[in-house]
Amino acid sequence: MARRGASSGGATARKRSGRKDGSGTGHEAGRGSGRGGRGGRSAEPVAEQVDGGLAELVPDRERPHAWTLTLDGAPQSHVDLDDPTYLSFEYQRRIGHIADLVAPPGQPLHVVHLGGGAFTLARYIAATRPRSTQQIVETDEALVRLVRRELPLDPQARIRVRAADARAGLGRVHDGWADLVIADVFSGARTPAHLTSTEFLAEVRRVLKPGGSYVANLADGPPLAHLRGQIATAATVFPELALAADPAVWRGRRFGNAVLLASNLPPKLAELTRRVATDPHPGRVEHGRALADFTGGAAAVTDADARPSPAPPPSAFG
């Protein structure tokens, strides 16, 4: 079921309770229309075949207008139409922390999202940083239609959705346009090979402003060879790296998500570390020498030897 530039969502995204730290209500995207206007508590799941498999929108029984998107049973996104600043999955919270810290609060950003899912992070940035301009690149046109119909975007948000392969869509972005590029791309719960190489990251760096940042949702399990290789790959393109993950993932005890931050300028590591450590399910941030040591001498990945990320075990979704 492999497809290039597939829909977004952590292969092992774990739902977490608790509101995003320091967030306001922002825009109320889609309230009164689509599934959000029909009442989440009484709503039924919506299942529809899309290009990448069976997509299902499952209502959140604890939040009236919130939904979880799954694809062939794998959690992809969670979105609350009443409060787009609410980030339920732990990896999305960590990406949200980074988006909060890449510029002063409220400052509009230019953002490229590789992978669409339910547009959760685009909604979050539109709510926390009004007047931001965002591009979503999502290859699954049927999924985009489903999300637009059932979980409509705020019509006032400056969000453009383009149906294209993630790398091909990135190639159409102007040099130095983006403040932030977010990669959250999975095909059959695996990151496609062509989004793991130094050549791909060189394209990311091309579209970033000099002070811009790249964020990637990565998934791996013991022995963490893919994760180590992705850090080594990013280190050949960007001088500043940090990685946030659950302690059990760091220790190689389970398959899970890790959020990679790469930039040309030093990020606000102290504040990022504090936020990740005080999440409902705390994570750990590594950088510098400790992160370099973690790679264990792993080689950078090129297009010639790129492979998809490993498939998660069946227990990852249970």
Side-chain angles (χ1 to χ4, degrees):
M1 191 181 69
R3 60 190 178 88
R4 294 167 69 100
S7 63
S8 77
T12 59
R14 298 166 66 188
K15 188 175 178 182
R16 297 305 185 199
S17 61
R19 186 182 177 126
K20 177 71 173 66
D21 294 343
S23 61
T25 56
H27 295 295
E28 296 179 350
R31 177 176 282 183
S33 60
R35 287 279 153 184
R38 301 180 193 178
R41 296 186 188 281
S42 60
E44 295 299 323
V46 178
E48 191 167 304
Q49 197 70 28
V50 297
D51 299 341
L54 181 65
E56 188 172 17
L57 292 171
V58 182
D60 185 335
R61 300 303 178 184
E62 297 179 358
R63 302 180 74 86
H65 299 126
W67 298 80
T68 297
L69 168 67
T70 67
L71 188 61
D72 283 339
Q76 301 290 311
S77 303
H78 178 280
V79 60
D80 187 332
L81 296 179
D82 284 346
D83 183 5
T85 67
Y86 177 83
L87 298 179
S88 179
F89 291 167
E90 62 183 21
Y91 86 88
Q92 290 182 328
R93 289 176 63 87
R94 289 166 188 163
I95 296 176
H97 294 324
I98 293 170
D100 290 345
L101 296 173
V102 295
Q107 178 177 308
L109 299 176
H110 286 180
V111 185
V112 177
H113 300 263
L114 302 178
F119 313 152
T120 303
L121 290 164
R123 300 174 199 264
Y124 175 82
I125 291 171
T128 57
R129 296 182 177 276
R131 302 181 307 284
S132 291
T133 302
Q134 302 186 73
Q135 300 183 39
I136 298 173
V137 182
E138 168 59 60
T139 193
D140 195 327
E141 294 186 62
L143 179 63
V144 169
R145 289 194 297 270
L146 172 65
V147 173
R148 280 190 178 277
R149 184 185 72 235
E150 303 293 343
L151 307 176
L153 288 165
D154 181 347
Q156 302 302 315
R158 300 177 181 179
I159 301 173
R160 177 185 179 186
V161 185
R162 175 182 294 165
D165 166 78
R167 187 158 163 180
L170 185 67
R172 297 174 62 182
V173 180
H174 294 305
D175 292 3
W177 182 84
D179 296 290
L180 182 64
V181 174
I182 299 172
D184 187 13
V185 188
F186 287 84
S187 174
R190 304 176 73 181
T191 302
H194 69 306
L195 304 181
T196 66
S197 67
T198 54
E199 292 90 341
F200 165 67
L201 288 181
E203 272 293 281
V204 170
R205 183 165 181 173
R206 176 189 63 78
V207 307
L208 284 172
K209 297 177 182 179
S213 297
Y214 170 66
V215 184
N217 176 29
L218 307 174
D220 198 10
L224 302 179
H226 173 72
L227 188 56
R228 298 178 202 277
Q230 287 304 285
I231 298 167
T233 302
T236 68
V237 181
F238 294 96
E240 299 288 341
L241 301 178
L243 190 77
D246 185 282
V249 174
W250 275 114
R251 292 192 289 268
R253 293 182 178 177
R254 70 168 178 85
F255 197 100
N257 298 86
V259 172
L260 175 67
L261 167 62
S263 60
N264 291 320
L265 301 178
K268 296 181 179 179
L269 285 172
E271 179 60 16
L272 176 62
T273 299
R274 185 194 69 79
R275 292 191 183 202
V276 171
T278 55
D279 272 340
H281 287 256
R284 194 174 90 223
V285 176
E286 292 288 3
H287 64 284
R289 172 57 64 182
L291 189 58
D293 290 345
F294 173 77
T295 65
V301 176
T302 66
D303 279 345
D305 55 22
R307 299 290 184 271
S309 65
S315 60
F317 306 118

